[in-house]
Amino acid sequence: MRECLSIHIGQAGIQIGDACWELYCLEHGIQPNGVVLDSQPDQLENAKMEHTNASFDTFFCETRAGKHVPRALFVDLEPTVIDGIRMGQHRSLFHPEQLLSGKEDAANNYARGRYSVGSKVIDLVLERTRKLAEQCGGLQGFLIFRSFGGGTGSGFTSLLMERLTGEYSRKTKLEFSVYPAPRISTAVVEPYNCVLTTHSTTEHTDCTFIVDNEAIYDICQRKLGVERPSYASINRLMVQAVSSITASLRFEGPLNVDLIEFQTNLVPYPRIHFPMTAFAPIVSADKAYREQFSVSDITTACFESSNQLVKCDPRLGKYMACCLLYRGDVVPKEVNAAIAATKSRHSVQFVDWCPTGFKVGINNRPPTVMPGGDLAKVHRAVCMLSNTTAIVEAWARLDHKFDLMYAKRAFLHWYLREGMEEAEFLEAREDLAALERDYEEVGQSF
Amino acid sequence: MSDTLTPDVIGRRVEVNGEHATVRFAGVVPPVAGPWLGVEWDNPERGKHDGSHEGTVYFKCRHPTGGSFIRPNKVNFGTDFLTAIKNRYVLEDGPEEDRKEQIVTLGNKPVETVGFDSLMKQQSQLSKLQEVSLRNCAVSCAGEKGGVAEACPNIRRVDLSKNLLSSWDEVIHIADQLRHLEVLNLSENKLKFPSGSALTGTFSALKVLVLNQTGITWAEVLWCAAWCPGLEELYLESNNIVISERPTDVLQTVKLLDLSSNQLIDENQLYLIAHLPRLEQLILSDVGISSIHFPDAGIGCKTSMFPSLQYLVVNDNQISQWSFFNELDKLPSLRALSCLRNPLTKEDKEANMTRQLIIASIGQLKTLNKCEILPKERRTAELDYRKAFGNEWKQAGGHQDPDKNRLSEEFLRAHRRYQFLCLKYGAPEDWELKTQQPFMLKNQLLTLKIKYPDQLDQKVLEKQLPAFVMVKIRRILILASGGMVNKLW
């Protein structure tokens, strides 16, 4: 029961997915071929394993052969990235039908991802999704991993989300999206793709957790001592946050948080559903025992900009809701004390109309680290999801870049060629402007 | 706490309002009545004096403001290990539902049992505990004998940092009851060493021992190590350690040694730990080291020191010479290096050049500053190195023809890999070694000064023009002025 289906779209989504399932397998003791590590020397460990077996049913499907297959779908419009999975370390973990690739890619073009190229693949993707959904006893919802700036990540995702709403209207859909970094850009037409996809996906998503590469890049450099972070380092850090968010669904814990609970507690209005993610502690493996992190230390750290996975300054805005997901050696007494201390700090300002503000989840499994990774193993960690009005800064930046390009109609013909019209651009831009105004309105006092 | 002060209170670790201290004196301090405790604070500025009051010396402190007199009832002597665990990990009972009465027959008599359910729940919770964190929980002793072994025998990892344990005796009492103990963190405690030797078998399963900020000395470290035959990781950060002797029978299984922030360590002391056979990772961040030498390695040979060392961390030190990295090439197993924030590696502009030079200097390095060195990067780095020092190589006797190649010893020592690079990529050609001024326009400009001979009060104009323009002007002037060109320069 309570199964979750993960769909990984585009290069970003797929590479994050690769790291993500690697981490899940480590956490559940599943080997790269799908078989659970059975031989534990003493009974205590075995008892524990039984416990965990029952819970990871949400993310893994057990076949009759005893293999655990992830409930996931990897989709891309061109084959190179997916071939990486097909030949990679985890090739025997996934069923070949879960790895879908097209022949010609979206070329960083929303229009191709959504209309011309995407429309050829969508039916197959939906069919596979249906198959996976049928294997579930009580599907809770979907987790979509994608980037805003790429062609497939923006275009194909918006097409898919529309169709998913049609077919599975009552199921939750959560997104983990890679927002284009403010200063590090991987595509010139990113602003177009982002604005277009945000406009078309907003009404179909329940909650979108955004991360941006630049923030994680800085964290890797400053806190983890990695001179030149590669995408692998960045993804490994990001999936720690993803793992914390889904930990309640995969392990039993004293205070579990469901997928629907996220929505209920984090989203005050349907359109205001872009929480900011922060993770603490982020310690380099060289400094494993040098710094001690109590519950209050890590809770305070979450409110510092150096632990955020998105570049935005929450001090410039107000918090509407805050979800703290603790994992590891955490005791409710200490959590209450930490939250009380946070509430009394002036730098953490809540909106007038949300007096309580905090939702807490506790899970006793400590975070697992990937071997050869940069993070140290810690006893306890927290992932904070906060809905803050300061995130409007991210949208404003994006809109500004969009305006600069659109004023000159630069690069527009690539989209118009694939069947789009300028009206769609204008509509999308209007929608984002309305989103900015919505944020400003909720942030205002009575 | 009771007011009766027994002599064994001296030396105990206590806590007062979050500050930790050691008891140094117990008794009366005239003229004020009543018992007093004289304490030496961990924080040397917290106190009021150095142990003397109105001329009489009651106890000694290391700092003039390190001591205070405190009433015994204001001082927290701590609690025992098991109570601390229960305080932290056992959920409070639900209100009345656990108070079910049950009738049980013991022998012939019916007996009422109350609250057994909650007790059993508590006990099963504790017996499941494998990892216990009791940082700053005022643990000062093990508690009643056997209590821990009965309640939570399965504990494998304990964090007892920043508690009130005053001696290793107490630690041994706790550890004796935890047969599966693998990880023990005793950081920020000040522990006295026992006079007798420890029981063997106490720390037989221990793999990781953390003793950061405990003020431990090297001799004491070796003593601890003797009790831990299987020790794999040892953390000794910020202890002002001076390595005074070579560990002969101990520390032989250690794979990771963290000596960061021990400012008294110098490179000579490192020779004393150079023969630990299994040492794979050595962390020397922030120790103030600036150079390192392996004198036993000749030209083209590896050193016999640090035979298994794979990962060396030397961040935040004083490395300012390239020879440091040249020496590191002598380590036979070195695969990864982290050397951020050193004077040599600080310049942001030249970060890339620094990285390349380090890669080229250490042949077997696979990871630098946590970034994998890809084959292409290594190739570029080595080619640049070969070119950069080509002139020096020539001057030191290098020659493209291997028969005529007579390199000086000095050069070979300073550039250990140069010969190897020549074999790999070929000796550098002469045309590669010519230093060229980059063709920039500003290097080609000449200055022209123009004077007006008829108007002497006019300023002399100076203009910078490219040479070919100058030549043209000169020609025109020669033609026009019929030879009066001298006035123009």
Side-chain angles (χ1 to χ4, degrees), chain A residues 318 351-354 443-446:
Chain A
K318 294 189 188 157
V351 285
D352 298 333
W353 45 264
C354 187
Q444 275 165 8
S445 324
F446 287 123

Side-chain angles (χ1 to χ4, degrees), chain B residues 5 38 45 64 141 298 309 329 343 386 412 425 440 443 454 456 466:
Chain B
L5 300 173
E45 285 156 38
C141 59
L309 188 64
D329 181 57
R386 176 179 147 276
L412 285 171
Y425 301 107
M440 291 207 290
N443 291 337
D454 302 328
L456 289 164

Side-chain angles (χ1 to χ4, degrees), chain B residues 403-416:
Chain B
D403 292 331
K404 299 196 189 141
N405 204 14
R406 297 266 178 280
L407 281 168
S408 70
E409 273 217 13
E410 207 185 310
F411 182 87
L412 285 171
R413 250 194 275 278
H415 300 272
R416 283 174 51 90

Side-chain angles (χ1 to χ4, degrees), chain B residues 75-323:
Chain B
V75 156
N76 179 10
F77 281 89
T79 175
D80 69 280
F81 186 73
L82 191 55
T83 311
I85 292 186
K86 284 191 182 152
N87 283 345
R88 192 153 191 272
Y89 289 98
V90 175
L91 295 169
E92 274 90 46
D93 294 338
E96 291 307 304
E97 52 184 348
D98 292 300
R99 299 206 146 273
K100 291 195 292 263
E101 289 179 10
Q102 288 183 341
I103 312 284
V104 161
T105 315
L106 290 177
N108 285 332
K109 306 222 171 110
V111 176
E112 271 184 21
T113 66
V114 180
F116 265 28
D117 278 348
S118 72
L119 248 180
M120 293 204 301
K121 209 163 57 162
Q122 272 189 25
Q123 281 170 348
S124 75
Q125 273 174 345
L126 288 177
S127 66
K128 282 204 203 121
L129 281 177
Q130 287 205 346
E131 184 164 339
V132 156
S133 178
L134 292 173
R135 180 177 165 79
N136 212 4
C137 290
V139 175
S140 58
C141 59
E144 72 176 59
K145 213 165 171 170
V148 173
E150 204 184 305
C152 34
N154 292 307
I155 292 181
R156 278 163 211 264
R157 296 176 282 276
V158 178
D159 180 359
L160 275 169
S161 54
K162 208 168 177 187
N163 278 298
L164 299 178
L165 295 158
S166 45
S167 83
W168 275 95
D169 283 322
E170 289 303 326
V171 176
I172 292 168
H173 287 152
I174 296 173
D176 267 338
Q177 300 181 59
L178 300 173
R179 290 278 130 194
H180 301 286
L181 191 64
E182 287 176 3
V183 177
L184 178 57
N185 188 345
L186 291 166
S187 304
E188 295 178 76
N189 285 299
K190 293 203 188 307
L191 302 166
K192 267 198 313 258
F193 275 75
S195 37
S197 57
L199 305 152
T200 49
T202 303
F203 295 106
S204 51
L206 198 68
K207 296 218 171 72
V208 178
L209 182 57
V210 187
L211 293 166
N212 299 336
Q213 294 178 61
T214 52
I216 198 170
T217 65
W218 186 248
E220 290 167 344
V221 169
L222 295 186
W223 207 18
C224 289
W227 309 332
C228 317
L231 194 65
E232 289 180 4
E233 294 180 19
L234 181 57
Y235 296 85
L236 297 167
E237 178 240 333
S238 294
N239 283 314
N240 280 330
I241 282 186
V242 171
I243 303 176
S244 51
E245 60 184 282
R246 188 171 149 158
T248 35
D249 297 319
V250 293
L251 295 179
Q252 301 298 308
T253 48
V254 164
K255 289 192 191 158
L256 184 153
L257 183 57
D258 181 357
L259 288 167
S260 5
S261 302
N262 284 298
Q263 301 279 336
L264 300 174
I265 288 191
D266 63 34
E267 69 166 281
N268 291 318
Q269 293 173 34
L270 293 178
Y271 295 145
L272 295 168
I273 48 168
H275 297 279
L276 292 170
R278 303 255 179 91
L279 189 65
E280 289 173 10
Q281 195 171 334
L282 181 58
I283 304 180
L284 291 172
S285 303
D286 188 32
V287 297
I289 202 169
S290 55
S291 62
I292 203 166
H293 289 105
F294 301 112
D296 65 327
I299 293 166
C301 297
K302 299 284 180 192
T303 177
S304 62
M305 301 198 218
F306 296 108
S308 309
L309 188 64
Q310 290 180 14
Y311 181 28
L312 177 64
V313 180
V314 285
N315 298 329
D316 303 293
N317 278 307
Q318 300 299 321
I319 299 169
S320 54
Q321 303 288 337
W322 287 115
S323 53

Side-chain angles (χ1 to χ4, degrees), chain A residues 53-192:
Chain A
N53 277 353
S55 312
F56 65 31
D57 196 42
T58 43
F59 277 74
F60 290 87
C61 175
E62 190 174 354
T63 62
R64 269 180 298 218
K67 234 181 94 159
H68 289 83
V69 182
R71 297 186 197 276
L73 208 59
F74 286 72
V75 184
D76 199 4
L77 295 178
E78 56 108 13
T80 24
V81 188
I82 294 222
D83 283 345
I85 311 260
R86 287 190 184 122
M87 314 294 181
Q89 209 194 358
H90 295 269
R91 58 183 176 277
S92 33
L93 188 65
F94 301 102
H95 194 281
E97 288 197 346
Q98 292 175 283
L99 307 171
L100 298 165
S101 59
K103 298 217 181 63
E104 46 169 342
D105 82 334
N108 266 163
N109 190 335
Y110 171 92
R112 281 172 69 92
R114 166 119 199 199
Y115 299 111
S116 31
V117 182
S119 57
K120 296 184 200 154
V121 184
I122 185 71
D123 290 317
L124 178 62
V125 174
L126 285 171
E127 187 202 308
R128 296 285 163 82
T129 316
R130 227 168 282 136
K131 252 181 127 172
L132 283 173
E134 275 158 23
Q135 290 172 343
C136 302
L139 179 65
Q140 236 191 120
F142 298 91
L143 296 169
I144 317 281
F145 294 79
R146 54 92 166 230
S147 72
F148 275 163
T152 316
S154 60
F156 187 73
T157 310
S158 53
L159 177 60
L160 180 64
M161 295 296 267
E162 221 177 81
R163 302 286 286 267
L164 283 178
T165 311
E167 262 191 60
Y168 308 89
S169 53
R170 301 292 302 277
K171 309 291 182 193
T172 312
K173 291 197 280 302
L174 299 186
E175 268 184 51
F176 288 90
S177 304
V178 180
Y179 172 88
R183 286 174 306 154
I184 308 173
S185 186
T186 48
V188 180
V189 291
E190 265 172 2
Y192 282 161

Side-chain angles (χ1 to χ4, degrees), chain A residues 9-297:
Chain A
I9 306 173
Q11 179 166 11
I14 291 171
Q15 285 177 337
I16 294 172
D18 194 19
C20 193
W21 288 103
E22 185 182 339
L23 185 62
Y24 286 171
C25 285
L26 279 171
E27 291 185 348
H28 293 279
I30 298 177
Q31 290 172 306
N33 62 359
V35 180
V36 177
L37 285 168
D38 242 0
S39 52
Q40 292 293 340
D42 63 295
Q43 283 193 333
L44 198 65
E45 282 292 333
N46 268 331
K48 250 191 168 174
M49 289 313 268
E50 278 168 37
H51 224 31
T52 54
N53 277 353
S55 312
F56 65 31
D57 196 42
T58 43
F59 277 74
F60 290 87
C61 175
E62 190 174 354
T63 62
R64 269 180 298 218
K67 234 181 94 159
H68 289 83
V69 182
R71 297 186 197 276
L73 208 59
F74 286 72
V75 184
D76 199 4
L77 295 178
E78 56 108 13
T80 24
V81 188
I82 294 222
D83 283 345
I85 311 260
R86 287 190 184 122
M87 314 294 181
Q89 209 194 358
H90 295 269
R91 58 183 176 277
S92 33
L93 188 65
F94 301 102
H95 194 281
E97 288 197 346
Q98 292 175 283
L99 307 171
L100 298 165
S101 59
K103 298 217 181 63
E104 46 169 342
D105 82 334
N108 266 163
N109 190 335
Y110 171 92
R112 281 172 69 92
R114 166 119 199 199
Y115 299 111
S116 31
V117 182
S119 57
K120 296 184 200 154
V121 184
I122 185 71
D123 290 317
L124 178 62
V125 174
L126 285 171
E127 187 202 308
R128 296 285 163 82
T129 316
R130 227 168 282 136
K131 252 181 127 172
L132 283 173
E134 275 158 23
Q135 290 172 343
C136 302
L139 179 65
Q140 236 191 120
F142 298 91
L143 296 169
I144 317 281
F145 294 79
R146 54 92 166 230
S147 72
F148 275 163
T152 316
S154 60
F156 187 73
T157 310
S158 53
L159 177 60
L160 180 64
M161 295 296 267
E162 221 177 81
R163 302 286 286 267
L164 283 178
T165 311
E167 262 191 60
Y168 308 89
S169 53
R170 301 292 302 277
K171 309 291 182 193
T172 312
K173 291 197 280 302
L174 299 186
E175 268 184 51
F176 288 90
S177 304
V178 180
Y179 172 88
R183 286 174 306 154
I184 308 173
S185 186
T186 48
V188 180
V189 291
E190 265 172 2
Y192 282 161
N193 291 338
C194 293
V195 171
L196 289 167
T197 190
T198 310
H199 162 62
S200 42
T201 328
T202 303
E203 58 185 290
H204 302 292
T205 317
D206 297 298
C207 198
T208 306
F209 303 107
I210 27 183
V211 292
D212 88 53
N213 282 341
E214 194 178 321
I216 308 184
Y217 197 84
D218 282 343
I219 291 176
C220 283
Q221 274 193 323
R222 290 199 204 124
K223 289 194 179 224
L224 299 177
V226 183
E227 199 178 12
R228 293 171 185 183
S230 58
Y231 277 128
S233 310
I234 294 179
N235 289 340
R236 271 196 292 254
L237 188 50
M238 191 190 153
V239 298
Q240 288 290 346
V242 175
S243 169
S244 294
I245 294 172
T246 55
S248 291
L249 301 162
R250 294 176 291 120
F251 299 106
E252 295 283 319
L255 205 55
N256 275 334
V257 182
D258 229 343
L259 266 186
I260 299 195
E261 280 179 76
F262 280 120
Q263 296 169 245
T264 320
N265 287 284
L266 274 178
V267 182
Y269 301 94
R271 277 162 64 82
I272 313 289
H273 63 236
F274 298 95
M276 189 181 71
T277 324
F279 189 78
I282 303 181
V283 203
S284 152
D286 300 336
K287 296 193 180 174
Y289 291 97
R290 251 190 277 174
E291 291 166 52
Q292 298 294 333
F293 298 98
S294 63
V295 173
S296 61
D297 288 333

